[in-house]
């Protein structure tokens, strides 16, 4: 069965890149969100197997979105998308319940490794 | 053993180690890399082994104490300060005197032995880690110095609660290593309470590795798994149990002693001597160097080609010849620098196997052979994980519980063998168990349930067919999900990892008798022997690791069986794969030759237009673009300077 993914990022470019990597690997990208608030709403609606969450987004950032989602769905599998230099924010996201993280620029192999770990 | 015969050798060599020991101790204070500590530790350890071999028990005992204290520093139980270093240097002096006494004056040596015996007796009666009763120790000549040492060691072992210390190294190239460490911390905290952590705040203070303290009874295997699940973990190691009874600390060392004694101290002694003549080089620099030399070799071959066209230039031929030899030597040297004995990784396994066995209620005699076989460091590092997986699988799914073995008339202790050997230009690593073997019926049932196989009656399945089914993603026959091998996820990962390294996995299994997994790897990632073939006007390189032979296609050699093309070769019939079709290329020429590829028992002929020649190639791995054909493992430059794709024959099989 295909695994479902929700991609949250305010940049279309990043959503496309990540979407392509995941689709090539056989995932079903069931939704995309551009803001943290949208991410929370879409998670509720789609209940995907996996979420990729950008840290910096307008209208509720990624970390707050993680908190919201985890509050309602403690088992949600969320991977943070970060950039170099965002270590403190990534740590905060992990403490909020994110399962793993990937770092831009995305390397397909590393992305898929993280996904595999999280879906275990 | 007659000490007299080896006295001179012992003395001269011991003196070198004593010098190394003193050097190491003196450098302890500014020892950021830990090299000085390691050097001193190895020197003490080697002296101990040599002395014990010759029956110089007093020397061995002093060396052992010194080693214990250095180990205490290593595991963080004792902090290095000036006073401690003075103490250690004094201990080294005492060791030196003992060596002289043992060798120079026979009687003194004997007296030392007697004294040591008396002390042992006293210790055996003694209570507790901190030295306990001192009664029996007061009569020897070394009583004073000894008492001081005893107290020092006691002080070191006393203060903290016993704890299990785990060291986790994050891959140096992993981005945001500190955040990765936090992930490790969070994962392991689900397994056992973290008593202490260094660095306390990795997000701020990160240096590449993490140490975590747990209660002594924490589940090591589960901790390791949890740590590794955080990803980008290069190494997980458990250090000596901290603050436990001294017996525990010395059991670890004791085991190693026995090895040293059994296998002969002199050979164990070598690394120490050499260590002092080594310099540390960044691995990246080494890679650059070997890449550079490889390019040089390719350029040289090109030069040779060009020179061939310039007939009659005085001395050119000779010059090119000398050039080639120089480059060849250089290549050899650089290659040698990349090679490390597999023992470096294998020696981590006994403990992991023992732990897995304990957890699963198996009894295992684990044997390692061929430690000295050398392999490219880059390959060795990456093959550790797949091998560990195979070993765990063997313990979990291969070896039966003792009761079941007894019923089947097997010895209760299962046998597990890990063996490396060299076969032509490959290294072969075997993981062999004498367990229940792979059940064909179960594999088939499982494959059907998972939709990997049609429901019609299967013909005779060979071991290779079984392996192919078992290495499909998600395949498992384990009826229960065990802690050790998880959900059977893995054989596919093992196969993929090996393939990325240019290697392959083979399996032989006999139900009720056992299973052997064979891993075949190229010696090095940097340079490969390859066959150049031409297909539709393009030249490709096929590494020889999996090539059995190459033949010109004669009339009547190609035929059809059940609608599929086959090659008949000396009475053998094997499938024929037209690479033109596989690579989806069209162009002039037609298929006149075939390369016979072999993995395990599976053989297939790959039809090509023409065999061009054989070459040493420098393979550059590349990250294949998404959607690229999965048949290429890299690119290379040919002698004529043109790039060629490197074909992975196992991908076609």
């Amino acid at each position: 069965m295909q695994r479902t993914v929700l991609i949250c990022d305010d940049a279309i470019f990043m959503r496309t890149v990540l979407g392509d990597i995941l689709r090539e690997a056989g995932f079903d990208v069931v939704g995309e969100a551009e803001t943290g608030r949208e991410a929370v709403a879409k998670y509720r609606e789609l209940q995907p197997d996996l979420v990729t969450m950008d840290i910096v987004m307008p209208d509720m950032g990624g970390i707050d979105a993680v908190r919201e989602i985890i509050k309602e769905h403690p088992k949600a599998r969320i991977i943070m998308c970060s950039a170099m230099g965002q270590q403190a924010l990534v740590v905060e996201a992990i403490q909020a319940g994110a399962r793993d993280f990937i770092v831009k620029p995305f390397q397909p192999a590393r992305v898929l490794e993280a996904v595999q770990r999280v879906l275990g | 053993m007659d000490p007299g015969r080896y006295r001179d050798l012992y003395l001269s060599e011991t003196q070198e180690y004593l010098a190394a020991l003193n050097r190491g101790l003196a450098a302890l204070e500014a020892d950021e890399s830990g090299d000085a500590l390691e050097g001193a530790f190895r020197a003490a350890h080697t002296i101990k082994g040599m002395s014990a071999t010759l029956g110089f028990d007093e020397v061995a005992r002093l060396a052992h104490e010194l080693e214990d204290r250095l180990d205490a520093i290593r595991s963080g139980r004792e902090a290095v300060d000036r006073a401690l270093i003075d103490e250690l240097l004094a201990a080294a002096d005492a060791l030196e005197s003992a060596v002289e006494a043992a060798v120079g004056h026979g009687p003194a040596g004997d007296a030392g032995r007697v004294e040591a015996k008396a002390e042992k007796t006293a210790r055996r009666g003694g209570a507790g880690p901190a030295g306990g009763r001192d009664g029996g120790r007061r009569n020897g000549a070394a009583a004073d110095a000894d008492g001081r040492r005893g107290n020092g060691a006691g002080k070191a072992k006393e203060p903290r609660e016993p704890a299990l210390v785990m060291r986790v190294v994050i891959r140096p190239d992993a981005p945001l290593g500190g955040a990765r460490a936090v992930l490790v911390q969070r994962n392991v905290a689900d397994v056992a309470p973290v008593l202490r952590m260094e660095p306390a705040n990795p997000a701020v203070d990160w240096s590449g590795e993490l140490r975590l303290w747990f209660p002594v009874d924490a589940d090591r295997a589960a901790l390791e798994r949890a740590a590794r699940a955080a990803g980008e973990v290069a190494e997980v190691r458990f250090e000596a149990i901290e603050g436990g009874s001294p017996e525990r600390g010395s059991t670890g060392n004791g085991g190693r002693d026995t090895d040293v004694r059994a296998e002969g101290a002199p050979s164990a002694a070598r690394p120490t001597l050499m260590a002092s003549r080594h310099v540390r080089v960044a691995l990246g620099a080494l890679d650059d160097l070997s890449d550079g030399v490889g390019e040089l070799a390719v350029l040289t071959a090109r030069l040779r080609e060009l020179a061939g066209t310039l007939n009659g230039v005085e001395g050119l031929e000779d010059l090119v010849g000398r050039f080639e030899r120089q480059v060849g030597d250089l290549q050899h040297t650089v290659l040698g620098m990349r090679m490390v004995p597999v023992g470096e990784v294998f020696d981590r396994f006994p403990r992991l196997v023992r732990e897995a066995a304990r957890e699963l209620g198996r009894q295992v005699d684990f044997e390692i052979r061929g430690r000295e076989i050398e392999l490219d460091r880059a390959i060795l590092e990456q093959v550790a994980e797949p091998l560990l997986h195979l070993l765990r699988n063997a313990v979990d799914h291969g070896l039966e519980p003792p009761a079941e073995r007894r019923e089947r008339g097997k010895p209760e202790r299962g046998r597990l063998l890990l063996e490396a050997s060299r076969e032509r230009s490959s290294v072969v690593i075997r993981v062999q168990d004498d367990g229940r073997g792979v059940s064909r019926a179960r594999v088939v049932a499982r494959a059907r349930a998972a939709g990997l196989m049609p429901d019609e009656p299967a013909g005779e399945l060979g071991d290779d067919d079984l392996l192919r089914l078992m290495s499909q993603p998600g395949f498992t026959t384990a009826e229960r999900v065990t802690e050790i091998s998880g959900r059977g996820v893995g054989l596919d990962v093992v196969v993929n990892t090996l393939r990325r390294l240019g290697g392959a996995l083979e399996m032989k299994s006999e139900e009720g008798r056992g299973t052997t997994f064979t891993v075949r790897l190229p010696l090095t990632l940097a340079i490969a022997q390859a066959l150049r073939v031409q297909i539709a006007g393009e030249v490709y390189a096929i590494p020889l690791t999996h090539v059995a032979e190459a033949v010109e296609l004669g009339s009547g050699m190609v035929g059809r069986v059940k609608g599929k093309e086959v090659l008949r070769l000396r009475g053998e019939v094997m499938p024929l794969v037209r690479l033109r079709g596989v690579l989806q290329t069209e162009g002039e020429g037609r298929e006149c030759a075939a390369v016979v590829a072999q993995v395990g028992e599976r053989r297939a002929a790959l039809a090509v237009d023409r065999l061009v020649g054989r070459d040493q190639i420098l393979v550059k791995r590349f990250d294949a673009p998404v959607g690229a054909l999965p048949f290429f493992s890299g690119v290379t430059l040919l002698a004529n300077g043109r790039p060629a794709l490197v074909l992975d024959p196992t991908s076609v099989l």
Side-chain angles (χ1 to χ4, degrees):
Chain A
M1 203 188 64
Q2 256 188 324
R3 304 272 208 163
T4 53
V5 192
L6 169 66
I7 297 180
C8 312
D9 198 309
D10 54 343
I12 301 179
F13 173 76
M14 294 315 303
R15 291 203 301 272
T16 312
V17 169
L18 208 47
D20 285 346
I21 293 174
L22 292 170
R23 271 186 289 264
E24 291 288 352
F27 287 88
D28 184 8
V29 179
V30 288
E32 296 186 353
E34 296 183 36
T35 70
R37 201 171 301 286
E38 207 184 322
V40 177
K42 284 257 168 90
Y43 188 93
R44 232 175 256 143
E45 176 199 332
L46 302 166
Q47 308 259 330
D49 295 322
L50 182 74
V51 183
T52 72
M53 182 81 73
D54 190 23
I55 291 186
V56 184
M57 283 188 291
D59 194 15
M60 186 189 287
I63 297 176
D64 284 333
V66 170
R67 286 206 185 90
E68 286 293 309
I69 294 176
I70 292 288
K71 204 160 65 188
E72 293 177 31
H73 312 274
K75 297 210 158 151
R77 292 164 168 165
I78 308 175
I79 295 181
M80 300 311 286
C81 305
S82 72
M84 289 306 280
Q86 288 187 324
Q87 182 139 283
L89 292 174
V90 173
V91 169
E92 207 188 324
I94 291 169
Q95 278 151 359
R99 297 281 184 94
D100 211 317
F101 62 90
I102 49 183
V103 181
K104 294 168 195 171
F106 296 135
Q107 292 168 7
R110 279 215 148 96
V111 172
L112 295 177
E113 270 171 38
V115 168
Q116 224 159 33
R117 282 196 296 269
V118 167
L119 291 176
Chain B
M1 191 178 292
D2 168 24
R5 240 179 99 190
Y6 300 101
R7 191 165 290 189
D8 286 349
L9 180 62
Y10 169 80
L11 188 60
S12 69
E13 201 146 44
T14 312
Q15 273 163 352
E16 284 189 50
Y17 289 121
L18 283 167
L21 175 63
N22 278 304
R23 234 182 0 258
L25 292 177
L28 267 190
E29 226 167 5
D31 183 26
E32 273 169 26
S33 62
D35 287 355
L37 181 59
E38 279 306 311
F41 182 86
R42 274 198 307 265
H45 183 75
T46 309
I47 293 174
K48 180 175 71 172
M50 289 166 56
S51 307
T53 310
L54 287 182
F56 298 149
D57 292 351
E58 171 66 0
V59 182
R61 185 182 65 76
L62 290 174
H64 180 74
E65 282 190 15
L66 198 50
E67 190 186 321
D68 261 359
R69 299 203 62 187
L70 291 169
D71 191 46
I73 298 173
R74 189 156 66 169
S75 58
R77 277 176 279 145
E78 204 160 6
V80 177
D81 58 25
R82 198 57 241 171
L84 176 72
I85 292 178
D86 286 345
E87 252 180 74
L88 292 172
L89 287 169
D93 287 347
L95 185 61
E96 190 166 356
S97 311
V99 168
E100 279 163 13
V103 178
H105 322 285
D110 282 343
R113 212 176 303 175
V114 172
E115 184 188 278
K117 239 181 234 160
E119 251 187 69
K120 257 185 216 154
T121 322
R123 277 192 187 176
R124 218 169 290 138
R133 278 172 23 182
D134 259 359
R137 317 177 89 194
R138 286 286 165 210
N139 20 10
D144 255 351
D146 223 8
R148 189 155 49 88
R149 258 193 300 276
N151 284 340
K155 189 174 63 195
K157 279 170 184 164
E158 244 168 25
R160 291 192 200 110
E161 280 284 291
L164 174 66
V165 186
M166 181 168 80
R167 184 165 152 258
V168 181
V169 180
I170 303 291
R171 280 195 226 155
D173 62 332
L176 306 189
R180 197 54 70 182
V182 173
L183 216 47
V184 171
Q185 176 198 8
R186 200 198 54 193
N187 282 359
V188 297
D190 289 343
V191 178
V194 178
L195 305 176
R196 198 173 126 210
M197 186 166 88
E198 266 176 18
N201 188 353
V204 181
D205 170 21
W206 180 243
S207 62
E209 66 176 68
L210 189 66
R211 290 168 101 186
L212 299 133
W213 277 252
F214 300 99
V216 278
D217 57 353
D219 178 348
R220 292 179 180 208
L223 283 174
E224 178 173 355
R225 215 166 32 250
R228 288 197 184 274
E232 308 281 8
V233 170
E235 190 189 353
V236 176
R237 225 163 63 191
F238 290 95
E239 298 181 347
I241 295 219
E242 194 180 276
S245 68
E247 181 199 307
R248 220 192 288 239
S250 57
T251 315
N253 291 334
R256 258 182 279 143
D257 292 349
T258 329
D259 287 347
V260 168
R261 256 173 245 164
E263 292 175 13
S267 68
R270 285 287 150 223
T272 315
L273 265 184
M274 283 164 54
S276 58
R277 289 179 202 145
H278 280 175
V279 289
R280 287 162 73 95
V281 177
L283 277 178
L286 196 55
D287 287 344
D288 289 349
L289 183 63
S290 69
D291 275 4
V293 173
E295 303 274 11
L296 205 53
V298 171
L299 290 177
T300 311
R302 211 173 147 189
L303 195 63
R304 156 72 62 194
E305 279 204 353
L306 271 179
T309 64
L310 293 173
N311 276 335
V313 179
E314 186 70 28
L316 181 61
E317 183 69 15
D318 181 47
L319 187 63
V320 171
R322 275 163 58 191
F323 209 84
E324 275 177 339
R325 279 193 299 280
Q326 281 294 332
V327 171
D329 286 354
L330 195 56
Q331 215 172 3
H332 190 75
T333 307
V334 172
L335 211 56
M337 286 163 65
R338 299 180 61 94
M339 305 299 266
V340 285
V342 295
E344 281 198 9
V345 160
F346 282 15
D347 286 340
R348 299 210 297 257
F349 293 147
R351 183 133 148 209
L352 298 166
V353 166
R354 204 166 55 228
E355 275 160 18
R358 200 181 50 218
E359 194 163 316
L360 292 158
R362 304 289 197 275
Q363 292 182 9
V364 184
D365 283 326
F366 180 45
E367 189 188 349
I368 295 178
R369 289 190 203 152
R371 278 188 177 79
E372 71 290 348
I373 299 291
E374 292 191 325
L375 195 57
D376 189 312
R377 180 184 290 279
I379 298 182
L380 185 60
E381 272 168 9
Q382 293 187 57
V383 86
E385 195 67 19
L387 285 179
L388 186 56
H389 200 96
L390 292 175
L391 288 168
R392 280 180 174 155
N393 267 349
V395 174
D396 192 0
H397 306 306
L399 296 175
E400 311 90 335
E404 189 180 330
R405 290 181 67 90
R406 211 179 318 126
E407 269 170 37
R408 291 167 185 266
K410 291 179 172 180
E412 287 188 12
R413 299 185 70 81
R415 232 178 85 74
L416 182 57
L417 171 69
L418 175 68
E419 179 179 36
S421 58
R422 176 86 184 262
E423 280 181 20
R424 285 171 298 148
S425 64
S426 351
V427 167
V428 173
I429 302 174
R430 259 179 275 276
V431 175
Q432 183 172 36
D433 69 63
D434 68 346
R436 52 170 78 99
V438 174
S439 156
R440 279 166 170 70
R442 275 172 65 196
V443 169
V444 169
R446 183 69 200 112
R448 288 211 172 110
L452 300 171
M453 202 178 155
D455 240 353
E456 56 212 45
E460 189 58 36
L461 286 180
D463 284 336
D464 290 327
D465 302 310
L466 287 182
L467 179 60
R468 219 152 17 101
L469 288 172
M470 288 160 70
S471 47
Q472 299 286 332
F475 180 91
T476 176
T477 56
E479 272 128 27
R480 79 217 131 78
V481 171
T482 62
E483 287 282 283
I484 300 292
S485 355
R487 285 161 211 285
V489 179
L491 217 44
D492 58 323
V493 179
V494 170
V495 169
N496 287 338
T497 308
L498 294 177
R499 249 181 58 189
R500 210 176 52 233
L501 296 171
L505 183 67
E506 298 161 18
M507 183 190 78
K508 280 208 184 309
S509 186
E510 202 177 332
E511 248 179 292
R513 301 289 292 277
T515 306
T516 303
F517 281 98
T518 303
V519 172
R520 200 174 292 273
L521 292 161
L523 268 184
T524 171
L525 279 180
I527 291 163
Q529 291 289 334
L531 205 58
R532 277 176 295 151
V533 300
Q534 191 173 338
I535 304 162
E538 284 292 325
V539 174
Y540 298 84
I542 304 182
L544 286 182
T545 323
H546 306 291
V547 171
E549 62 182 307
V551 294
E552 302 284 341
L553 289 178
S555 63
M557 286 172 76
V558 178
R560 279 187 176 271
V561 172
K562 288 188 197 156
K564 297 209 166 131
E565 276 196 300
V566 294
L567 176 74
R568 292 180 217 280
L569 185 60
R570 295 185 297 270
E572 186 189 354
V573 177
M574 66 187 89
L576 179 76
V577 181
R578 293 190 181 265
L579 287 180
R580 272 169 173 262
V582 172
L583 302 175
Q584 301 161 18
T585 78
E586 286 171 15
E588 78 234 39
R590 63 190 187 85
E591 288 144 331
C592 299
V595 175
V596 178
Q598 178 161 15
V599 175
E601 297 152 14
R602 287 179 73 76
R603 278 157 78 94
L606 315 176
V608 300
D609 294 1
R610 193 163 75 83
L611 301 170
V612 183
R614 202 179 135 157
D615 234 348
Q616 207 178 52
I617 59 165
L618 173 76
V619 182
K620 290 209 183 269
R621 308 272 140 187
F622 65 148
D623 279 331
V626 179
L629 291 169
F631 310 115
F632 304 113
S633 56
V635 289
T636 188
L637 273 185
L638 299 174
N640 61 11
R642 296 194 47 188
L645 284 164
V646 180
L647 248 168
D648 173 13
T650 64
S651 67
V652 185
L653 278 187

